[in-house]
Structure formats: C-alpha cells, structure tokens
Amino acid sequence: MNRKWYKEMSVYHIWTRSFCDSNGDGIGDLGGVMSKLDYIKSLGVDGIWFSPIYPTPNADYGYDVADYRDINPEFGTLDDFKKLLDEAHKRDMKVFMDLVVNHTSDEHWWFKESCKGPDNPYHDYYIWREGKGDKPPNNWKSIFEGGAWEYVPEINKYYLHLFAKKQPDLNMDNPKVREEVKDIMRFWLDMGVDGFREDVITFISKAEGLPDGIPIPVACGIEHYLHGPHLGEYLDEFREVLNEYDCFAVGEGPMLSLKDAVEFCSEGPNKKLDMMISFDHMNADGLLVEWIPRPFSLKSLKSNMSKWQEAMYDKGWNCLYLENHDHPRVISRYGSEKFRVESGKMLAAMYILQCGTPFIYQGQEIGMTNIIIDNIDDFKDVSTFNNYRLFKNLLKFSDERFLKLANRASRENARTPVHWSAEKNAGFTTGEPWFKINENYESINVEQAEKDPNSILHFYRKLINFRKGNDLVIYGRYKEYDKNNRRAYIYERTYKNERLLVMCSFASRPMTIKAPAGYNLEKGELIITNYDGATIKDNAFKAKPYEVRVYHFK
Ligand code: NOJ
C-alpha cells in the first residue's frame, strides 16, 4: 500500500462558533482555538480541520461564504488566522480549510453583481433561468428551504439554490467560476494551509437542461445533480492545483455511492480526491437521514462500515468518523447515555482502529451527548426549521411531537458549546453563550476528564497514540467476523505477521463474545479495553455492557 502522511494522521475537527470564546461575546473564536492548541496537540492528533471560518451572514453558520479570502470578524482577523496556522505548524499539526464552492452566500459580491442582469460579467457565475409562466423553471426542491428556485423580480429570473435561499448555487459550468475556485485554493495553499475538506463537492455539476426530478418533498431533482455529467472533469481540474502542493483533499458526498468513491479516490493518474466522507454508516438508526428514525441496527452499521473497508482497501483511502457538525452525538445514538463512559470508549476503539484517517469532532473526545431543547425558538439551524415546516404541514406533527423528534435528530445536538469546566457556562465563555449549553456540563467537561484516569478523554489519547506509526492499525487489512451477530462487532486487522482482533459489545447487558476460529485469546496480548479484561474461558469472555477488547497477536 502506498504510504502517505495523510493516511497516517488523525484529525481534530473544529466548529469554531461553539469551540471556545476568548473575548466574552458568547461566540467561539480563533483566540479560543489558540488558547486550546496545546490541548488539541495533547490528544495526539496531527491536524485540524476547520468548518468554514470565512465572513458569512450565518444563514448556514459559515456554509454560506460571503468572502473566500478573509476570516469571519466574529472569529478574528486574517492575521489571527496566520498566527494560528503558524502555531499549529510549530506543534507539527496541519491545518485544513473547508472549501465551500457548490454555493456562496447571497451576500457575496459576485452574487450581488450577478443580480444586476444578464449583461453583468458576473451574471453567469450563478444558475439563472426564466420561469415557466408564473412557475419556477423546474420542480426541484431545496434541501433546506422549500422550492429550489428564488425569483428576482428586477430581472424577471430565478436563481437556483440547492440549500437555503441565501445559498445560491455557483454555475460550475462557467470556466471563469472554476478559475475562481482554483485561485481560492491557491490563496490558502500559498499561505501554508495543508488541504481542504470540500463541501458537497459531488453536487457541483448539474444535468444539462435541468430536467424535472422525481417528485419528493425534499431534494427533489437530486438525481440530476448527484454526480452530474462533468463532476469528474471539474474535480480533475481542481486536482491539478492540489498536485502543485504537498496537501490533501477530502470530498464530502451525501448519498455518495461506493463505486464513485472508489473511482475518485483510487491511486493513479486519475485520482481526484484523497478520501471521501460517506454517510452510509451514519444511517444505522435512520432511513437515509436521522429525521426518519428507526431503532439502531448494529447489522446495518457493521455492513456499511465493512463495505467501505473492503472496497477501499488497496485502492483508495477511508475517512473515518462518527461525529461532526451535521449529526447528533454518537453516544446518544449508537451507544448509551446510561453507559456513557463505557460506550463512548467502545465506539472510539471501534472506528479509530479501522483502516482510514480518523476524524474526531470537538467534544466527542469527552463524550458529550445530545441536548434537550424544549422550545422551538431555542433552535438556530435552517435545516431544523425546514423540518419543522415539513413535519407540521405534511405530517401534521404537534409542536410537542416535533420537539421530541428534533431532540433526537437535529444536527444542533453537535453544535452546543464545548464543555471546558464545571464553571459557569461550562468555561466556554464569560459572556452570554450564543447557544444553549447542555445541562450535563458540570459532570462532563474537559477539566474533570483530565483528572479522571478512566475518562473517555484519556482513552481517546491512548487510541490515537496507539495508532501513530503503527503499520498494523494504519495499513493492515480488515476482515469482519460473525456478521450476523446483532450485538457484537468483531473484526481483525492483519499486516505481515501481526494481527489485531477488535471485539465490541453493543449490548447494555452482559453477553458472551467468542473469538473467531483461528484465534487463541490466551496467546494474544490484551492491549486496549474499557474494563479490566477479566477471565477468558473456552476462547470466549463474558462481555460487560459495551465492553471492547483489543488483542494483539504476533
Ligand atoms: C454540508 C455541510 O457539512 C453542512 O453543514 C452544510 O449545511 C451543507 N453542506 C451546505 O453547505
């Protein structure tokens, strides 16, 4: 397998607004990140990915970019960022930016120019069409806000927005737009940034003629822009820029197929991206999205993880994650709040020891959980409000019923401020926090976790450091065992003559876990576990709730 630095690193993901506030305005900022750089480094990670930190009107908290070459003044200045970059590099940590180029903010000056009409040189930077009579150009629906077209009466045309109204889609078919994207990439790479996470990059090419889509209430038309006709070409163009630098790119692909990911990430001259963010394993308790819940299915989680592990091996590379700013907290989903510490550790080992680059989202390392919000006005996110309208209008949900669902499904669960201590406002801010703080901060916080040798935090450190420089964990081949087991996840990693056996209980009651044929547990070294590794009998052990055992064989 081709060795690369980006395969060997672990990455910490920061959603700055909720990370740490340094100036008391209640909003996390770069000063806050700077003050925690040593903490981040102490986890053993090798890089930081920042969700967008550019100027933005916050219609989608930064995923609506108003200026690609500056820093959101709520977070600091470009100079602050340069200092942070420098300090991160001094600590041997790389820095990755979010490249959001499927759309901009409607407050980006390109869009303001574009609205002036067809004669304006920026008009074709966006996707404008005339309506059909008094109807929009086609039946597409946005992902965040009703119809996908917004009418601008001054020029009697509609613009396309796959997400919120304030996020007009760029017209990537316009070569000038692609040149702009490449310039933006160079701007950050020349400054010293080490790569990008490319937002919904699989949506950037839309089908010729923008045909009507299969009528569904959300994302209608998606079949005409998910891996559109020119996606490969455009990614190749962007790759040429990446190839001029020693950097890496991870592409986000909602509803991405494994086939496409293998094609885009396979080593060789046609490689477009280094890895991709798949969503398959994030639907083990939902049908396509968290908003259509179903009971957690371990079999679904396992089969999706194994599918990606097997298909990518020797070809591309996996991006490993269980949490980010788009999903509720994983302990509340796939683990158990009752067995928070145990399940938090088990989940960490389960994914970090797979083949790929692990990403750890802020707060995940201390086992933060979902929040309970009991008033619709306390939510902040455009997608929660969209779902509110949909569930109320189409399914006649009461507020109470919706709140129950939102508390389980909303991505805002991951956007509550990080708990640094048991002090007021969890030590996140001295001011009024921009978003509600989870009430459990007094017991779940970094300060407490630092003091407790058995904390989830120390377990993450152990795992990340165990993976570092360890060929077996980084490059070893993956194989799953006992696939039909509904309560245990068992897999091995093999490299040369070494083997690692990872056995995870997903049960809240004791259960027997047996080693696969060919393994003798007595001969292995138990190197990681979240309990005391009590007795083995007949090559099996009685796993306690959410127990994980990792055995090493030479
Ligand atoms: C994916 C991002 O992760 C999400 O937060 C955002 O809302 C959409 N893309 C639109 O940019």
Side-chain angles (χ1 to χ4, degrees), residues 60 63 100 103 144 163 167 197 199-200 252 325-326 411 415:
D60 187 12
Y63 284 92
V100 189
H103 43 266
F144 282 170
F163 291 89
Q167 291 171 294
R197 175 263 191 195
D199 187 62
V200 288
E252 189 210 22
H325 64 297
D326 284 336
R411 61 183 185 173
R415 298 179 175 194

Side-chain angles (χ1 to χ4, degrees), residues 308-497:
W308 282 77
Q309 287 290 306
E310 283 154 17
M312 280 291 193
Y313 197 76
D314 259 350
K315 295 197 182 77
W317 195 247
N318 274 302
C319 165
L320 305 172
Y321 76 98
L322 289 179
E323 282 193 10
N324 63 34
H325 64 297
D326 284 336
H327 303 280
R329 295 284 182 183
V330 75
I331 289 177
S332 307
R333 303 179 60 183
Y334 297 176
S336 152
E337 290 183 9
K338 183 169 165 214
F339 294 103
R340 189 184 65 87
V341 174
E342 296 80 357
S343 66
K345 291 179 184 175
M346 180 279 290
L347 289 163
M350 182 276 292
Y351 91 102
I352 289 181
L353 298 178
Q354 297 202 8
C355 187
T357 298
F359 285 68
I360 297 116
Y361 178 65
Q362 63 186 40
Q364 180 184 341
E365 78 280 13
I366 55 166
M368 284 179 65
T369 57
N370 283 354
I371 188 172
I372 295 172
I373 293 184
D374 46 22
N375 187 338
I376 193 75
D377 296 331
D378 287 340
F379 287 99
K380 307 269 185 200
D381 177 34
V382 62
S383 90
T384 310
F385 297 130
N386 191 39
N387 280 300
Y388 183 57
R389 278 188 300 270
L390 286 170
F391 280 92
K392 284 208 79 124
N393 297 340
L394 296 178
L395 298 167
K396 307 288 170 225
F397 266 46
S398 65
D399 275 10
E400 203 188 350
R401 196 161 164 216
F402 178 77
L403 277 171
K404 213 169 151 208
L405 175 62
N407 277 313
R408 168 180 172 153
S410 157
R411 61 183 185 173
E412 297 186 72
N413 279 303
R415 298 179 175 194
T416 66
V418 169
H419 307 166
W420 295 101
S421 70
E423 276 165 41
K424 190 167 177 239
N425 295 327
F428 163 73
T429 179
T430 52
E432 192 54 42
W434 78 280
F435 196 71
K436 226 179 134 182
I437 291 177
N438 197 319
E439 281 171 10
N440 61 20
Y441 75 90
E442 288 185 13
S443 55
I444 304 171
N445 62 65
V446 173
E447 204 174 271
Q448 182 280 334
E450 290 285 12
K451 280 189 225 143
D452 175 3
N454 290 319
S455 66
I456 299 180
L457 175 62
H458 288 303
F459 196 80
Y460 266 92
R461 287 196 176 116
K462 188 169 176 183
L463 280 168
I464 295 166
N465 286 313
F466 174 65
R467 182 182 181 278
K468 216 180 266 297
N470 184 335
D471 283 347
L472 174 59
V473 182
I474 299 170
Y475 295 111
R477 185 176 284 280
Y478 167 100
K479 183 174 172 189
E480 190 195 335
Y481 286 98
D482 204 359
K483 293 188 177 180
N484 286 324
N485 195 323
R486 290 167 191 279
R487 298 192 302 155
Y489 188 177
I490 303 171
Y491 68 85
E492 72 174 10
R493 304 290 309 283
T494 47
Y495 187 82
K496 297 191 177 154
N497 296 326

Side-chain angles (χ1 to χ4, degrees), residues 3-12 39-48 91-94 317 352-354 356-358 360 459-475 493 498 500 527-528:
R3 287 171 178 268
K4 288 272 166 49
W5 59 260
Y6 63 78
K7 297 182 177 172
E8 306 195 356
M9 68 179 177
S10 303
V11 181
Y12 192 69
Y39 166 76
I40 299 169
K41 176 71 189 172
S42 80
L43 299 173
V45 297
D46 313 280
I48 299 173
R91 289 165 177 78
D92 259 341
M93 288 193 292
K94 301 199 182 275
W317 195 247
I352 289 181
L353 298 178
Q354 297 202 8
T357 298
I360 297 116
F459 196 80
Y460 266 92
R461 287 196 176 116
K462 188 169 176 183
L463 280 168
I464 295 166
N465 286 313
F466 174 65
R467 182 182 181 278
K468 216 180 266 297
N470 184 335
D471 283 347
L472 174 59
V473 182
I474 299 170
Y475 295 111
R493 304 290 309 283
E498 280 185 84
L500 197 71
I527 34 175
I528 291 174

Side-chain angles (χ1 to χ4, degrees), residues 93-336:
M93 288 193 292
K94 301 199 182 275
V95 172
F96 311 109
M97 293 296 259
D98 218 305
L99 185 71
V100 189
V101 291
N102 175 68
H103 43 266
T104 68
S105 161
D106 65 342
E107 296 182 30
H108 193 292
W109 65 268
W110 297 340
F111 187 71
K112 291 185 188 160
E113 288 297 307
S114 177
C115 286
K116 291 183 180 161
D119 296 333
N120 188 285
Y122 289 90
H123 189 67
D124 285 339
Y125 269 42
Y126 295 85
I127 302 174
W128 292 96
R129 294 288 184 278
E130 274 160 24
K132 285 189 180 150
D134 57 358
K135 293 228 172 76
N138 69 20
N139 71 348
W140 291 10
K141 292 259 192 290
S142 83
I143 294 166
F144 282 170
E145 237 180 348
W149 295 95
E150 186 67 9
Y151 182 60
V152 177
E154 291 77 12
I155 57 171
N156 191 25
K157 276 180 155 186
Y158 292 78
Y159 68 84
L160 178 71
H161 62 92
L162 295 183
F163 291 89
K165 277 182 201 146
K166 283 182 72 64
Q167 291 171 294
D169 276 55
L170 281 165
N171 174 15
M172 209 54 81
D173 295 335
N174 180 346
K176 286 191 197 143
V177 171
R178 303 201 297 278
E179 284 311 314
E180 297 277 10
V181 172
K182 291 187 255 178
D183 281 352
I184 294 165
M185 293 168 82
R186 287 199 185 92
F187 175 83
W188 293 103
L189 292 167
D190 285 339
M191 194 185 295
V193 156
D194 303 284
F196 301 102
R197 175 263 191 195
E198 302 186 356
D199 187 62
V200 288
I201 201 68
T202 45
F203 289 5
I204 59 174
S205 165
K206 280 82 176 168
E208 198 95 6
L210 308 178
D212 276 345
I214 300 164
I216 46 171
V218 183
C220 162
I222 192 163
E223 67 277 25
H224 299 303
Y225 58 80
L226 183 70
H227 193 164
H230 302 291
L231 176 62
E233 277 162 56
Y234 300 163
L235 290 177
D236 283 340
E237 270 189 48
F238 303 156
R239 183 82 225 177
E240 280 177 28
V241 177
L242 297 170
N243 286 345
E244 293 164 18
Y245 300 80
D246 182 23
C247 66
F248 104 118
V250 47
E252 189 210 22
M255 280 172 261
L256 171 74
S257 75
L258 184 56
K259 190 175 146 281
D260 287 353
V262 171
E263 180 196 324
F264 293 164
C265 302
S266 282
E267 297 290 346
N270 293 325
K271 180 163 107 168
K272 299 167 186 13
L273 293 160
D274 299 300
M275 53 185 118
M276 297 206 69
I277 300 176
S278 145
F279 284 59
D280 286 352
H281 67 290
M282 297 310 290
N283 294 321
D285 61 354
L287 293 173
L288 272 179
V289 286
E290 286 97 346
W291 287 94
I292 312 177
R294 60 172 171 149
F296 169 66
S297 156
L298 177 60
K299 275 179 81 174
S300 156
L301 178 71
K302 293 197 296 183
S303 66
N304 281 303
M305 294 200 101
S306 293
K307 188 173 89 179
W308 282 77
Q309 287 290 306
E310 283 154 17
M312 280 291 193
Y313 197 76
D314 259 350
K315 295 197 182 77
W317 195 247
N318 274 302
C319 165
L320 305 172
Y321 76 98
L322 289 179
E323 282 193 10
N324 63 34
H325 64 297
D326 284 336
H327 303 280
R329 295 284 182 183
V330 75
I331 289 177
S332 307
R333 303 179 60 183
Y334 297 176
S336 152

Side-chain angles (χ1 to χ4, degrees), residues 15-23 25-33 72-76 417 428-429 433-434:
W15 200 76
T16 306
R17 198 175 186 82
S18 284
F19 185 68
C20 180
D21 173 21
S22 69
N23 63 0
D25 66 356
I27 295 171
D29 49 37
L30 295 187
V33 177
N72 179 352
E74 290 176 311
F75 295 169
F428 163 73
T429 179
W434 78 280

